[in-house]
Amino acid sequence: PEKYRQSNQKKYLNLLKNSQQITTCFDIHSTVKDLSCINEENEKKTEREKIRAISLLKEIPDNRTCEDIGISMHYCVCEIN
């Protein structure tokens, strides 16, 4: 909604940028939690878990790989030429 975009411009810009990033269902789950105001900051996560599930409203690193998010190289679309 327009009101959300105006009040959360950074999150909206991240969403647009992340539309071109490698994402998984784990990211969608994290996004739903983010939108529902469930505080993920207090959850204890390993470094791998922090890379594997990132809200689409937060910036996803450009250098994120299939290996980072646990996708087998056999199924990784990044490696298709």
Side-chain angles (χ1 to χ4, degrees):
E2 186 63 36
K3 186 176 180 178
Y4 183 84
R5 284 192 293 189
Q6 290 176 354
S7 62
N8 296 282
Q9 190 171 13
K10 177 73 174 160
K11 289 182 178 185
Y12 177 68
L13 293 174
N14 284 337
L15 180 64
L16 294 177
K17 178 183 180 277
N18 292 336
S19 69
Q20 301 301 311
Q21 300 295 92
I22 184 170
T23 58
T24 70
C25 57
F26 297 110
D27 300 321
I28 302 300
H29 181 258
S30 185
T31 304
V32 170
K33 287 172 70 174
D34 195 6
L35 287 170
S36 65
C37 301
I38 295 173
N39 188 356
E40 290 186 323
E41 302 301 322
N42 294 332
E43 293 182 23
K44 293 182 180 180
K45 293 184 179 181
T46 65
E47 286 304 311
R48 181 173 175 92
E49 288 173 324
K50 289 178 186 176
I51 294 172
R52 190 170 190 195
I54 301 172
S55 169
L56 299 176
L57 302 175
K58 297 178 181 172
E59 188 172 350
I60 294 177
D62 291 332
N63 61 346
R64 190 183 201 198
T65 66
C66 289
E67 184 179 358
D68 291 336
I69 54 180
I71 296 175
S72 165
M73 293 311 286
H74 178 75
Y75 298 106
C76 186
V77 295
C78 299
E79 300 300 319
I80 297 175
N81 293 333

